[in-house]
């Protein structure tokens, strides 16, 4: 009888606490879904210099980038020296930079296909997703460093051909 109760409690614990972690998307799956959504916007022929189209892009990009983590990592020790207002302003600036960079690249056109090559663990809650963007003009190696934020994988650094967004 004691074992039956213990087994029942174990099943309840697994269902409540462990199962959601098993169902959570991998970093690669999250990234692939997000990039696919951005590519859909591109395929619809939107002009991302227009505010309403850029707002749509912003919503998609903020779904998988973490401007907070990017800003903190970019400043490293200097982050703590900023006032909360300065930190908020910097996060906003990084977010806008991401949107403008994406908008610029998307407006240049050119269909590129993304190959998802591998996902490497960098720690318990961090991953590095290796991709290759292939277009008519060639290919580009892009690494996405991701971390878990509020239970979701989010990008905190992008490394294109060995150059880091955060380190630069």
């Amino acid at each position: 009888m004691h074992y039956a109760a213990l087994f029942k409690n174990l099943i309840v614990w697994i269902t409540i606490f462990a199962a959601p972690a098993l169902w959570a998307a991998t970093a690669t799956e999250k990234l692939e879904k997000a990039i696919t959504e951005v590519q859909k916007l591109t395929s619809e022929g939107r002009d991302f210099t227009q505010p309403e189209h850029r707002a749509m892009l912003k919503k998609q990009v903020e779904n998988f980038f973490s401007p907070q983590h990017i800003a903190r990592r970019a400043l490293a020790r200097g982050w703590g020296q900023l006032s909360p207002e300065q930190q908020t302003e910097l996060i906003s600036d990084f977010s806008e930079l991401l949107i403008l960079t994406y908008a610029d690249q998307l407006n240049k056109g050119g269909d590129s296909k993304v190959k998802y090559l591998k996902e490497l663990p960098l720690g318990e809650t961090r991953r590095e997703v290796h991709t290759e963007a292939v277009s008519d003009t060639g290919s580009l190696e892009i690494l996405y460093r991701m971390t878990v934020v509020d239970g979701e994988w989010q990008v905190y650094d992008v490394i294109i051909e060995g150059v880091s967004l955060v380190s630069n």
Side-chain angles (χ1 to χ4, degrees):
M1 193 67 148
H2 173 36
Y3 291 110
L6 182 63
F7 182 72
K8 181 180 174 184
N9 287 336
L10 180 63
I11 294 299
V12 169
W13 184 86
I14 289 172
T15 303
I16 292 172
F17 297 106
L22 296 174
W23 298 323
T26 66
T28 301
E29 290 168 339
K30 168 71 182 219
L31 183 65
E32 185 173 6
K33 181 180 177 189
I35 289 174
T36 299
E37 290 299 317
V38 170
Q39 287 176 325
K40 275 186 200 174
L41 291 176
T42 307
S43 68
E44 294 168 356
R46 300 182 189 279
D47 177 4
F48 294 106
T49 60
Q50 300 299 314
E52 65 273 9
H53 294 168
R54 196 160 57 228
M56 296 168 95
L57 177 63
K58 179 178 181 176
K59 181 180 177 189
Q60 290 301 328
V61 170
E62 288 179 346
N63 186 36
F64 68 100
F65 272 95
S66 176
Q68 299 90 338
H69 283 83
I70 293 170
R72 288 183 95 136
R73 288 175 187 275
L75 282 186
R77 287 182 242 158
W79 179 258
Q81 297 171 359
L82 297 179
S83 69
E85 294 80 19
Q86 290 172 318
Q87 291 175 353
T88 301
E89 185 178 339
L90 185 64
I91 290 168
S92 176
D93 289 346
F94 264 105
S95 181
E96 190 61 23
L97 175 65
L98 286 170
I99 303 309
L100 291 173
T101 302
Y102 254 81
D104 181 55
Q105 292 301 312
L106 293 174
N107 282 328
K108 286 180 180 175
D111 291 329
S112 64
K113 304 292 182 216
V114 179
K115 293 181 183 179
Y116 300 88
L117 305 174
K118 62 184 170 184
E119 179 176 320
L120 301 174
L122 300 177
E124 194 170 314
T125 59
R126 293 185 307 126
R127 300 288 184 271
E128 184 174 83
V129 179
H130 292 238
T131 68
E132 181 181 25
V134 181
S135 70
D136 295 338
T137 59
S139 65
L140 195 61
E141 179 187 27
I142 305 172
L143 310 180
Y144 293 87
R145 289 198 174 151
M146 302 177 76
T147 190
V148 176
V149 178
D150 297 327
E152 292 281 332
W153 289 104
Q154 290 202 315
V155 175
Y156 70 84
D157 195 8
V158 179
I159 302 165
I160 301 173
E161 295 293 318
V163 180
S164 164
L165 172 69
V166 169
S167 296
N168 244 350

